[in-house]
Amino acid sequence: MRIKKLPVIGIISAILIAISGCSEKKSVQSFFAMNTYMTFTIYGTESEELSGSLQKEIYKLERLWSVTDENSDVYKINNSEGRTVLVDEKTAQLIDFSLIMSEKTGGAFNPTIYPVLKAWGFTTGNNRIPTAEEISETLSRTGCGKIKTDGNSVTAEKGTMVDFGGAAKGYAGDIAVDYLKNKGVTSALLDIGGNIQAIGTKPDGSSWKIGLRSPFSDGIAGTIEITDKAVVTSGNYERFFIGEDGKKYGHIINPVTGYPVENDLASVTIIGKEGKVCDALSTALFVMGYEGAVDFYKETGGFDMILITEDEEIHITEGIADSFSTDGKDIFIIE
Ligand code: ADP
Ligand code: MG
């Protein structure tokens, strides 16, 4: 008998092999990567091995996109002092994608917000309210026009810094989905730090039921049923700090003001085909606020969304009216 080597595991690790209703092998593995917990549920005879090799792929992406790892592509760009640097093809693609999403969202999605984010201490954990001068100085170093790509070469103006925290998990999710589909997987559910990406249906043909976390309690706000889709949520209720003024400051920054977003939205969930698009849009539409998000949806379409407002109302687009439910709470349809 061949002895299999167990995959590298993170802080929490659980491997469950179960025989499902239609005798399909199942693997559930949890690990810590990209500063968050991930759980891969994969069905199929090779599911355990695939999950292990997929984890290695994710660790590779983490090493490319970490803002703190001195060997990462992002670190290389952020310390390039205006020089052109060569990055991995996947990093170049992530940058190009982020620049496109920034343009599409009128700058609400801004991968160059990092100097501002740093001033607020979101990268170090030493959160603090920056002075007005610090905010205007760091804001002056942001702007997507300050970064250029040419194939795998990247040139960022001196002082410009990037951070793909708003879309990297979605991008990694798409890479993971492609990887598994290419290996013949037809049923899997990937939880990438709260970003959900589903391949196909459950083995019995039914849709995946995803609980949507409530921004106001530990419970869920509702349930959405999906097949072959991504569900990505942004909000300021998970990563935030309380300032000396007693106010709550979240990790999503309004690129116009340089302040953490504070508007009529508690969370934005985007449901669509691609994880990366859902991820970038969830961040951007959260910045836009209710009216801005609804206007954007009407102008562009191509996705569904769930907006939970600060006054605890749930507003959803028509496309998911039949697949979203709550336990008795009112649901408003966006028209
Ligand atoms: P989460 O990481 O909690 O799932 P998001 O996808 O919304 O949530 O990403 C938030 C992260 O995106 C922040 O931690 C930061 O790294 C980055 N970020 C903050 N503000 C912006 C912005 N306006 N545009 C793009 N990225 C942002
Ligand atoms: Mg996002």
Side-chain angles (χ1 to χ4, degrees):
M1 198 181 98
R2 214 175 99 229
I3 298 172
K4 282 183 211 129
K5 222 173 124 206
L6 283 174
V8 185
I9 40 179
I11 288 176
I12 297 180
S13 175
I15 302 172
L16 295 173
I17 309 294
I19 305 297
S20 74
C22 48
S23 341
E24 195 150 14
K25 210 171 138 197
K26 176 190 183 185
S27 154
V28 183
Q29 298 196 18
S30 296
F31 60 104
F32 191 83
M34 300 173 86
N35 213 14
T36 191
Y37 289 98
M38 306 198 179
T39 301
F40 295 163
T41 304
I42 304 169
Y43 288 89
T45 44
E46 300 296 316
S47 56
E48 198 188 333
E49 293 81 356
L50 286 176
S51 192
S53 39
L54 184 52
Q55 270 183 51
K56 292 202 186 95
E57 292 299 313
I58 297 286
Y59 288 132
K60 275 191 213 159
L61 299 178
E62 173 178 44
R63 281 197 293 275
L64 291 177
W65 301 337
S66 160
V67 280
T68 47
D69 183 341
E70 297 190 4
N71 298 309
S72 79
D73 277 350
V74 167
Y75 192 90
K76 211 196 255 180
I77 296 167
N78 291 352
N79 293 278
S80 61
E81 303 282 332
R83 285 186 308 266
T84 299
V85 295
L86 203 61
V87 297
D88 187 276
E89 177 183 26
K90 288 198 174 73
T91 307
Q93 286 165 3
L94 175 60
I95 297 173
D96 289 337
F97 168 76
S98 298
L99 296 177
I100 291 169
M101 291 312 288
S102 182
E103 198 174 324
K104 276 194 180 159
T105 60
F109 182 80
N110 188 334
T112 66
I113 203 70
Y114 190 59
V116 183
L117 203 74
K118 221 173 145 199
W120 285 90
F122 279 111
T123 49
T124 54
N126 294 325
N127 288 117
R128 51 183 273 278
I129 303 170
T131 62
E133 289 75 35
E134 277 177 282
I135 290 179
S136 58
E137 190 277 323
T138 50
L139 260 186
S140 74
R141 292 196 269 132
T142 67
C144 287
K146 298 183 194 299
I147 173 158
K148 301 263 179 305
T149 61
D150 179 8
N152 297 342
S153 298
V154 183
T155 317
E157 276 182 23
K158 202 168 185 291
T160 301
M161 292 175 144
V162 293
D163 157 34
F164 302 103
K169 285 188 287 176
Y171 214 95
D174 289 339
I175 290 173
V177 164
D178 286 347
Y179 179 88
L180 292 177
K181 280 187 173 171
N182 283 334
K183 299 282 185 188
V185 171
T186 53
S187 177
L189 192 71
L190 310 179
D191 179 341
I192 301 174
N195 284 21
I196 304 294
Q197 298 204 214
I199 295 180
T201 62
K202 285 198 234 171
D204 66 4
S206 65
S207 41
W208 304 97
K209 286 184 187 57
I210 314 295
L212 182 69
R213 233 198 93 180
S214 163
F216 308 108
S217 72
D218 286 338
I220 60 163
T223 308
I224 175 124
E225 291 193 32
I226 53 158
T227 57
D228 235 348
K229 286 241 164 82
V231 180
V232 181
T233 301
S234 282
N236 264 341
Y237 57 90
E238 240 165 16
R239 294 188 194 218
F240 65 85
F241 76 99
I242 307 289
E244 280 171 11
D245 56 0
K247 274 180 65 178
K248 197 171 142 179
Y249 294 101
H251 70 143
I252 300 176
I253 307 287
N254 181 332
V256 175
T257 62
Y259 273 75
V261 170
E262 196 191 344
N263 58 28
D264 49 3
L265 290 178
S267 74
V268 173
T269 300
I270 307 289
I271 300 102
K273 277 277 165 214
E274 288 183 292
K276 58 178 185 276
V277 174
C278 293
D279 201 347
L281 288 183
S282 70
T283 307
L285 270 58
F286 185 70
V287 172
M288 291 177 193
Y290 185 87
E291 288 299 330
V294 170
D295 288 348
F296 183 87
Y297 168 78
K298 285 181 180 165
E299 277 160 29
T300 65
F303 63 93
D304 277 296
M305 63 181 181
I306 303 165
L307 304 177
I308 302 188
T309 66
E310 277 294 350
D311 24 350
E312 305 195 21
E313 281 183 3
I314 302 173
H315 295 241
I316 69 170
T317 50
E318 265 181 306
I320 49 167
D322 293 334
S323 47
F324 181 74
S325 58
T326 65
D327 49 2
K329 283 191 277 296
D330 289 338
I331 301 173
F332 299 86
I333 306 287
I334 296 165
E335 278 168 359

